[in-house]
PDB file of all heavy atoms in Angstrom:
ATOM      1  N   ARG L 209       9.932  23.454 145.685  1.00 98.00           N
ATOM      2  CA  ARG L 209       9.397  22.639 144.646  1.00 98.00           C
ATOM      3  C   ARG L 209       7.869  22.749 144.614  1.00 98.00           C
ATOM      4  O   ARG L 209       7.224  22.955 145.592  1.00 98.00           O
ATOM      5  CB  ARG L 209       9.758  21.127 144.871  1.00 98.00           C
ATOM      6  CG  ARG L 209      11.219  20.825 144.853  1.00 98.00           C
ATOM      7  CD  ARG L 209      11.834  21.032 143.478  1.00 98.00           C
ATOM      8  NE  ARG L 209      13.208  20.611 143.450  1.00 98.00           N
ATOM      9  CZ  ARG L 209      14.236  21.438 143.743  1.00 98.00           C
ATOM     10  NH1 ARG L 209      13.998  22.709 144.095  1.00 98.00           N
ATOM     11  NH2 ARG L 209      15.488  21.031 143.709  1.00 98.00           N
ATOM     12  N   LEU L 210       7.363  22.535 143.410  1.00 98.00           N
ATOM     13  CA  LEU L 210       5.932  22.514 143.128  1.00 98.00           C
ATOM     14  C   LEU L 210       5.612  21.178 142.431  1.00 98.00           C
ATOM     15  O   LEU L 210       6.117  20.950 141.336  1.00 98.00           O
ATOM     16  CB  LEU L 210       5.510  23.684 142.217  1.00 98.00           C
ATOM     17  CG  LEU L 210       4.094  23.927 141.934  1.00 98.00           C
ATOM     18  CD1 LEU L 210       3.294  24.296 143.200  1.00 98.00           C
ATOM     19  CD2 LEU L 210       3.938  25.010 140.917  1.00 98.00           C
ATOM     20  N   LEU L 211       4.853  20.311 143.103  1.00 98.00           N
ATOM     21  CA  LEU L 211       4.508  19.038 142.514  1.00 98.00           C
ATOM     22  C   LEU L 211       3.052  19.136 142.032  1.00 98.00           C
ATOM     23  O   LEU L 211       2.154  19.494 142.798  1.00 98.00           O
ATOM     24  CB  LEU L 211       4.655  17.893 143.525  1.00 98.00           C
ATOM     25  CG  LEU L 211       4.455  16.487 142.963  1.00 98.00           C
ATOM     26  CD1 LEU L 211       5.336  15.529 143.728  1.00 98.00           C
ATOM     27  CD2 LEU L 211       3.014  16.063 143.082  1.00 98.00           C
ATOM     28  N   LEU L 212       2.804  18.782 140.800  1.00 98.00           N
ATOM     29  CA  LEU L 212       1.462  18.812 140.224  1.00 98.00           C
ATOM     30  C   LEU L 212       0.953  17.415 139.998  1.00 98.00           C
ATOM     31  O   LEU L 212       1.667  16.533 139.530  1.00 98.00           O
ATOM     32  CB  LEU L 212       1.466  19.567 138.859  1.00 98.00           C
ATOM     33  CG  LEU L 212       2.059  20.957 138.814  1.00 98.00           C
ATOM     34  CD1 LEU L 212       2.059  21.466 137.415  1.00 98.00           C
ATOM     35  CD2 LEU L 212       1.249  21.857 139.721  1.00 98.00           C
ATOM     36  N   THR L 213      -0.334  17.255 140.303  1.00 98.00           N
ATOM     37  CA  THR L 213      -1.037  15.997 139.982  1.00 98.00           C
ATOM     38  C   THR L 213      -2.518  16.328 139.773  1.00 98.00           C
ATOM     39  O   THR L 213      -2.963  17.462 140.020  1.00 98.00           O
ATOM     40  CB  THR L 213      -0.902  14.928 141.078  1.00 98.00           C
ATOM     41  OG1 THR L 213      -1.281  13.621 140.527  1.00 98.00           O
ATOM     42  CG2 THR L 213      -1.700  15.231 142.323  1.00 98.00           C
ATOM     43  N   THR L 214      -3.272  15.397 139.257  1.00 98.00           N
ATOM     44  CA  THR L 214      -4.732  15.518 139.056  1.00 98.00           C
ATOM     45  C   THR L 214      -5.466  14.355 139.656  1.00 98.00           C
ATOM     46  O   THR L 214      -4.930  13.262 139.743  1.00 98.00           O
ATOM     47  CB  THR L 214      -5.102  15.662 137.590  1.00 98.00           C
ATOM     48  OG1 THR L 214      -4.597  14.545 136.883  1.00 98.00           O
ATOM     49  CG2 THR L 214      -4.535  16.938 136.970  1.00 98.00           C
ATOM     50  N   VAL L 215      -6.689  14.597 140.063  1.00 98.00           N
ATOM     51  CA  VAL L 215      -7.619  13.580 140.505  1.00 98.00           C
ATOM     52  C   VAL L 215      -8.978  13.897 139.915  1.00 98.00           C
ATOM     53  O   VAL L 215      -9.235  14.967 139.401  1.00 98.00           O
ATOM     54  CB  VAL L 215      -7.715  13.460 142.049  1.00 98.00           C
ATOM     55  CG1 VAL L 215      -6.364  13.023 142.635  1.00 98.00           C
ATOM     56  CG2 VAL L 215      -8.168  14.768 142.663  1.00 98.00           C
ATOM     57  N   ALA L 216      -9.900  12.924 140.022  1.00 97.00           N
ATOM     58  CA  ALA L 216     -11.203  13.050 139.323  1.00 97.00           C
ATOM     59  C   ALA L 216     -12.193  13.986 140.081  1.00 97.00           C
ATOM     60  O   ALA L 216     -12.913  14.676 139.414  1.00 97.00           O
ATOM     61  CB  ALA L 216     -11.823  11.673 139.171  1.00 97.00           C
ATOM     62  N   THR L 217     -12.159  13.934 141.385  1.00 98.00           N
ATOM     63  CA  THR L 217     -13.221  14.668 142.118  1.00 98.00           C
ATOM     64  C   THR L 217     -12.644  15.649 143.138  1.00 98.00           C
ATOM     65  O   THR L 217     -11.515  15.530 143.600  1.00 98.00           O
ATOM     66  CB  THR L 217     -14.096  13.659 142.888  1.00 98.00           C
ATOM     67  OG1 THR L 217     -13.358  13.110 144.006  1.00 98.00           O
ATOM     68  CG2 THR L 217     -14.657  12.567 141.988  1.00 98.00           C
ATOM     69  N   GLU L 218     -13.500  16.596 143.487  1.00 98.00           N
ATOM     70  CA  GLU L 218     -13.114  17.611 144.483  1.00 98.00           C
ATOM     71  C   GLU L 218     -12.878  16.938 145.853  1.00 98.00           C
ATOM     72  O   GLU L 218     -11.953  17.333 146.575  1.00 98.00           O
ATOM     73  CB  GLU L 218     -14.196  18.645 144.584  1.00 98.00           C
ATOM     74  CG  GLU L 218     -13.830  19.815 145.472  1.00 98.00           C
ATOM     75  CD  GLU L 218     -14.890  20.925 145.491  1.00 98.00           C
ATOM     76  OE1 GLU L 218     -15.800  20.904 144.640  1.00 98.00           O
ATOM     77  OE2 GLU L 218     -14.796  21.793 146.371  1.00 98.00           O
ATOM     78  N   ALA L 219     -13.692  15.938 146.202  1.00 98.00           N
ATOM     79  CA  ALA L 219     -13.521  15.238 147.434  1.00 98.00           C
ATOM     80  C   ALA L 219     -12.154  14.537 147.505  1.00 98.00           C
ATOM     81  O   ALA L 219     -11.506  14.593 148.547  1.00 98.00           O
ATOM     82  CB  ALA L 219     -14.660  14.239 147.666  1.00 98.00           C
ATOM     83  N   GLU L 220     -11.745  13.888 146.449  1.00 98.00           N
ATOM     84  CA  GLU L 220     -10.445  13.234 146.417  1.00 98.00           C
ATOM     85  C   GLU L 220      -9.334  14.290 146.592  1.00 98.00           C
ATOM     86  O   GLU L 220      -8.359  14.069 147.264  1.00 98.00           O
ATOM     87  CB  GLU L 220     -10.212  12.477 145.100  1.00 98.00           C
ATOM     88  CG  GLU L 220     -11.072  11.199 144.970  1.00 98.00           C
ATOM     89  CD  GLU L 220     -10.997  10.634 143.586  1.00 98.00           C
ATOM     90  OE1 GLU L 220     -10.789  11.355 142.611  1.00 98.00           O
ATOM     91  OE2 GLU L 220     -11.218   9.432 143.493  1.00 98.00           O
ATOM     92  N   ALA L 221      -9.483  15.400 145.879  1.00 98.00           N
ATOM     93  CA  ALA L 221      -8.481  16.471 145.941  1.00 98.00           C
ATOM     94  C   ALA L 221      -8.388  17.018 147.382  1.00 98.00           C
ATOM     95  O   ALA L 221      -7.258  17.187 147.901  1.00 98.00           O
ATOM     96  CB  ALA L 221      -8.841  17.591 144.980  1.00 98.00           C
ATOM     97  N   GLN L 222      -9.482  17.274 147.985  1.00 98.00           N
ATOM     98  CA  GLN L 222      -9.481  17.803 149.340  1.00 98.00           C
ATOM     99  C   GLN L 222      -8.860  16.833 150.313  1.00 98.00           C
ATOM    100  O   GLN L 222      -8.079  17.220 151.192  1.00 98.00           O
ATOM    101  CB  GLN L 222     -10.882  18.182 149.795  1.00 98.00           C
ATOM    102  CG  GLN L 222     -11.435  19.386 149.035  1.00 98.00           C
ATOM    103  CD  GLN L 222     -12.895  19.664 149.318  1.00 98.00           C
ATOM    104  OE1 GLN L 222     -13.593  18.850 149.917  1.00 98.00           O
ATOM    105  NE2 GLN L 222     -13.382  20.809 148.879  1.00 98.00           N
ATOM    106  N   GLN L 223      -9.147  15.554 150.168  1.00 98.00           N
ATOM    107  CA  GLN L 223      -8.585  14.527 151.064  1.00 98.00           C
ATOM    108  C   GLN L 223      -7.081  14.492 150.933  1.00 98.00           C
ATOM    109  O   GLN L 223      -6.368  14.435 151.929  1.00 98.00           O
ATOM    110  CB  GLN L 223      -9.252  13.173 150.772  1.00 98.00           C
ATOM    111  CG  GLN L 223      -8.873  12.088 151.751  1.00 98.00           C
ATOM    112  CD  GLN L 223      -7.597  11.388 151.381  1.00 98.00           C
ATOM    113  OE1 GLN L 223      -7.248  11.212 150.206  1.00 98.00           O
ATOM    114  NE2 GLN L 223      -6.823  10.926 152.375  1.00 98.00           N
ATOM    115  N   LEU L 224      -6.576  14.424 149.707  1.00 98.00           N
ATOM    116  CA  LEU L 224      -5.148  14.354 149.484  1.00 98.00           C
ATOM    117  C   LEU L 224      -4.442  15.623 149.984  1.00 98.00           C
ATOM    118  O   LEU L 224      -3.396  15.542 150.616  1.00 98.00           O
ATOM    119  CB  LEU L 224      -4.809  14.151 148.022  1.00 98.00           C
ATOM    120  CG  LEU L 224      -4.986  12.768 147.428  1.00 98.00           C
ATOM    121  CD1 LEU L 224      -4.794  12.743 145.930  1.00 98.00           C
ATOM    122  CD2 LEU L 224      -4.136  11.745 148.121  1.00 98.00           C
ATOM    123  N   ALA L 225      -5.034  16.795 149.709  1.00 98.00           N
ATOM    124  CA  ALA L 225      -4.425  18.042 150.150  1.00 98.00           C
ATOM    125  C   ALA L 225      -4.317  18.092 151.657  1.00 98.00           C
ATOM    126  O   ALA L 225      -3.227  18.397 152.200  1.00 98.00           O
ATOM    127  CB  ALA L 225      -5.296  19.181 149.578  1.00 98.00           C
ATOM    128  N   GLN L 226      -5.389  17.845 152.333  1.00 98.00           N
ATOM    129  CA  GLN L 226      -5.384  17.930 153.785  1.00 98.00           C
ATOM    130  C   GLN L 226      -4.409  16.891 154.404  1.00 98.00           C
ATOM    131  O   GLN L 226      -3.662  17.227 155.302  1.00 98.00           O
ATOM    132  CB  GLN L 226      -6.760  17.718 154.358  1.00 98.00           C
ATOM    133  CG  GLN L 226      -6.824  17.926 155.853  1.00 98.00           C
ATOM    134  CD  GLN L 226      -8.270  17.971 156.401  1.00 98.00           C
ATOM    135  OE1 GLN L 226      -9.193  18.088 155.649  1.00 98.00           O
ATOM    136  NE2 GLN L 226      -8.358  17.861 157.716  1.00 98.00           N
ATOM    137  N   ALA L 227      -4.380  15.713 153.892  1.00 98.00           N
ATOM    138  CA  ALA L 227      -3.545  14.644 154.434  1.00 98.00           C
ATOM    139  C   ALA L 227      -2.076  15.001 154.155  1.00 98.00           C
ATOM    140  O   ALA L 227      -1.224  14.761 155.059  1.00 98.00           O
ATOM    141  CB  ALA L 227      -3.885  13.300 153.773  1.00 98.00           C
ATOM    142  N   ALA L 228      -1.702  15.563 153.059  1.00 98.00           N
ATOM    143  CA  ALA L 228      -0.314  15.942 152.780  1.00 98.00           C
ATOM    144  C   ALA L 228       0.140  17.071 153.708  1.00 98.00           C
ATOM    145  O   ALA L 228       1.275  17.032 154.246  1.00 98.00           O
ATOM    146  CB  ALA L 228      -0.175  16.369 151.325  1.00 98.00           C
ATOM    147  N   VAL L 229      -0.717  18.045 153.962  1.00 98.00           N
ATOM    148  CA  VAL L 229      -0.352  19.151 154.862  1.00 98.00           C
ATOM    149  C   VAL L 229      -0.239  18.607 156.318  1.00 98.00           C
ATOM    150  O   VAL L 229       0.708  18.920 157.005  1.00 98.00           O
ATOM    151  CB  VAL L 229      -1.348  20.308 154.759  1.00 98.00           C
ATOM    152  CG1 VAL L 229      -1.096  21.326 155.828  1.00 98.00           C
ATOM    153  CG2 VAL L 229      -1.272  20.934 153.378  1.00 98.00           C
ATOM    154  N   GLU L 230      -1.200  17.758 156.735  1.00 98.00           N
ATOM    155  CA  GLU L 230      -1.143  17.180 158.056  1.00 98.00           C
ATOM    156  C   GLU L 230       0.102  16.330 158.271  1.00 98.00           C
ATOM    157  O   GLU L 230       0.690  16.343 159.342  1.00 98.00           O
ATOM    158  CB  GLU L 230      -2.404  16.332 158.322  1.00 98.00           C
ATOM    159  CG  GLU L 230      -3.657  17.166 158.527  1.00 98.00           C
ATOM    160  CD  GLU L 230      -4.897  16.306 158.705  1.00 98.00           C
ATOM    161  OE1 GLU L 230      -4.851  15.066 158.491  1.00 98.00           O
ATOM    162  OE2 GLU L 230      -5.953  16.869 159.023  1.00 98.00           O
ATOM    163  N   ALA L 231       0.567  15.666 157.221  1.00 98.00           N
ATOM    164  CA  ALA L 231       1.727  14.800 157.332  1.00 98.00           C
ATOM    165  C   ALA L 231       3.051  15.551 157.220  1.00 98.00           C
ATOM    166  O   ALA L 231       4.111  14.983 157.366  1.00 98.00           O
ATOM    167  CB  ALA L 231       1.693  13.720 156.199  1.00 98.00           C
ATOM    168  N   GLY L 232       2.930  16.898 157.007  1.00 98.00           N
ATOM    169  CA  GLY L 232       4.170  17.687 156.917  1.00 98.00           C
ATOM    170  C   GLY L 232       4.916  17.507 155.598  1.00 98.00           C
ATOM    171  O   GLY L 232       6.103  17.815 155.537  1.00 98.00           O
ATOM    172  N   LEU L 233       4.236  17.054 154.574  1.00 98.00           N
ATOM    173  CA  LEU L 233       4.872  16.826 153.253  1.00 98.00           C
ATOM    174  C   LEU L 233       4.735  18.038 152.323  1.00 98.00           C
ATOM    175  O   LEU L 233       5.505  18.189 151.390  1.00 98.00           O
ATOM    176  CB  LEU L 233       4.304  15.587 152.604  1.00 98.00           C
ATOM    177  CG  LEU L 233       4.484  14.253 153.366  1.00 98.00           C
ATOM    178  CD1 LEU L 233       3.700  13.156 152.734  1.00 98.00           C
ATOM    179  CD2 LEU L 233       5.979  13.965 153.414  1.00 98.00           C
ATOM    180  N   ALA L 234       3.724  18.836 152.622  1.00 98.00           N
ATOM    181  CA  ALA L 234       3.523  20.082 151.865  1.00 98.00           C
ATOM    182  C   ALA L 234       3.087  21.159 152.813  1.00 98.00           C
ATOM    183  O   ALA L 234       2.375  20.908 153.778  1.00 98.00           O
ATOM    184  CB  ALA L 234       2.422  19.838 150.782  1.00 98.00           C
ATOM    185  N   ALA L 235       3.531  22.363 152.525  1.00 98.00           N
ATOM    186  CA  ALA L 235       3.111  23.521 153.317  1.00 98.00           C
ATOM    187  C   ALA L 235       1.715  23.994 152.912  1.00 98.00           C
ATOM    188  O   ALA L 235       0.968  24.502 153.733  1.00 98.00           O
ATOM    189  CB  ALA L 235       4.107  24.672 153.168  1.00 98.00           C
ATOM    190  N   CYS L 236       1.422  23.808 151.639  1.00 98.00           N
ATOM    191  CA  CYS L 236       0.168  24.296 151.084  1.00 98.00           C
ATOM    192  C   CYS L 236      -0.141  23.458 149.897  1.00 98.00           C
ATOM    193  O   CYS L 236       0.773  23.008 149.161  1.00 98.00           O
ATOM    194  CB  CYS L 236       0.324  25.784 150.697  1.00 98.00           C
ATOM    195  SG  CYS L 236      -1.064  26.484 149.809  1.00 98.00           S
ATOM    196  N   VAL L 237      -1.427  23.250 149.603  1.00 98.00           N
ATOM    197  CA  VAL L 237      -1.855  22.569 148.355  1.00 98.00           C
ATOM    198  C   VAL L 237      -2.994  23.409 147.778  1.00 98.00           C
ATOM    199  O   VAL L 237      -4.014  23.591 148.421  1.00 98.00           O
ATOM    200  CB  VAL L 237      -2.298  21.138 148.624  1.00 98.00           C
ATOM    201  CG1 VAL L 237      -2.681  20.455 147.276  1.00 98.00           C
ATOM    202  CG2 VAL L 237      -1.247  20.338 149.355  1.00 98.00           C
TER     203      VAL L 237
END
Side-chain angles (χ1 to χ4, degrees):
R209 297 293 184 271
L210 183 67
L211 186 148
L212 305 176
T213 196
T214 56
V215 294
T217 69
E218 187 176 347
E220 290 170 333
Q222 290 172 349
Q223 186 275 327
L224 283 175
Q226 185 169 346
V229 172
E230 286 176 353
L233 298 170
C236 173
V237 183

